[in-house]
Amino acid sequence: SYVLTQPPSVSVAPGQTARITCGGNNIGSKSVHWYQQKPGQAPVLVVYDDSDRPSRIPERFSGSNSGNTATLTISRVEAGDEADYYCQVRDSSRDHVVFGGGTKLTVL
Amino acid sequence: EIQLLESGGGLVQPGGSLRLSCAASRFTFSSYAMSWVRQAPGKGLEWVSAIIGSGGSTYYADSVKGRFTISRDNSKNTLYLQMNSLRAEDTAVYYCAKDRTYDITGYSYWGQGTLVTVSS
């Protein structure tokens, strides 16, 4: 089955740039979606189809995808960005949806 | 604002059954695929099952195949998950999620979740 690998944690100072990676075999050939989840809340879509952003999401959130790694980039990080972030793809070979293990973003 | 309201969670004994519902509103329900995604306490997100807009195709994670059944009633704007032969490892918050399209892609909206606890 298709596996997505994320670092368990990423730490960044306010105002800096956070980069959260999502590794998978030839993930560049798939559409990657990213979700933000704060404690006690449901996930929220922050990036879809690798690099598109829902209208309600700030421009500080962006995404890229190439080769074996997709990346969620959060610019000018704020305290309110502290959350768990998950990547997700569709494994078309099995018609399954796959989530990465999640990355906890800590704002120092 | 799009709304997804899950119900039906609760405490059930191992081997028991439970039926979850998700009432959708403020969008054309039949035009979108829907999924159930769960999250065990302190753990990450796990996809459970998906159904396309017409209900004509359904998909299941290996961990629930043969025990869970997803369905939808487009006349009632409601998604269901029938869960049989429940196990302790099925304990989780179950989220209803609306896809961005008619088929399975990514999830633009999520409900607030309903807790299922499997324990004797």
Side-chain angles (χ1 to χ4, degrees):
Chain A
S1 61
Y2 194 78
V3 176
L4 295 175
T5 301
Q6 297 182 236
S9 63
V10 167
S11 299
V12 63
Q16 300 303 303
T17 297
R19 294 179 179 84
I20 299 172
T21 59
C22 176
N25 184 35
N26 197 26
I27 194 174
S29 67
K30 302 181 182 298
S31 289
V32 180
H33 317 291
W34 291 91
Y35 304 90
Q36 175 194 69
Q37 186 181 34
K38 296 182 179 180
Q41 297 184 18
V44 171
L45 180 69
V46 293
V47 167
Y48 65 95
D49 290 347
D50 299 339
S51 59
D52 290 332
R53 194 179 54 252
S55 57
R56 61 189 181 277
I57 301 300
E59 292 184 5
R60 301 184 296 104
F61 289 80
S62 62
S64 62
N65 184 20
S66 179
N68 293 320
T69 304
T71 303
L72 173 69
T73 301
I74 309 172
S75 304
R76 303 180 299 283
V77 166
E78 303 172 357
D81 298 331
E82 192 162 278
D84 293 326
Y85 291 84
Y86 296 89
C87 58
Q88 176 248 311
V89 301
R90 177 179 182 174
D91 178 6
S92 298
S93 68
R94 303 182 67 222
D95 280 331
H96 278 44
V97 171
V98 181
F99 286 96
T103 298
K104 181 176 181 58
L105 176 67
T106 299
V107 181
L108 301 172
Chain B
E1 178 76 9
I2 287 173
Q3 290 191 344
L4 299 170
L5 185 60
E6 302 96 336
S7 61
L11 175 63
V12 61
Q13 292 188 341
S17 298
L18 216 52
R19 187 197 200 199
L20 305 183
S21 299
C22 171
S25 59
R26 302 178 186 170
F27 67 99
T28 305
F29 183 68
S30 60
S31 294
Y32 295 91
M34 299 291 295
S35 285
W36 290 98
V37 177
R38 68 185 180 184
Q39 188 169 35
K43 302 298 184 181
L45 301 174
E46 179 189 14
W47 173 74
V48 173
S49 183
I51 185 168
I52 66 170
S54 68
S57 294
T58 58
Y59 310 94
Y60 298 93
D62 293 345
S63 58
V64 306
K65 196 168 187 178
R67 300 188 299 123
F68 290 11
T69 302
I70 191 171
S71 62
R72 63 192 297 162
D73 185 336
N74 286 344
S75 68
K76 295 182 178 179
N77 291 348
T78 302
L79 176 72
Y80 302 100
L81 185 68
Q82 177 66 43
M83 304 186 295
N84 298 332
S85 303
L86 283 161
R87 307 166 180 168
E89 53 265 36
D90 295 319
T91 294
V93 173
Y94 284 72
Y95 294 102
C96 162
K98 170 191 172 293
D99 211 288
R100 290 180 46 252
T101 71
Y102 183 83
D103 201 354
I104 302 167
T105 55
Y107 304 115
S108 52
Y109 287 90
W110 299 63
Q112 285 305 303
T114 186
L115 177 62
V116 172
T117 303
V118 184
S119 175
S120 55

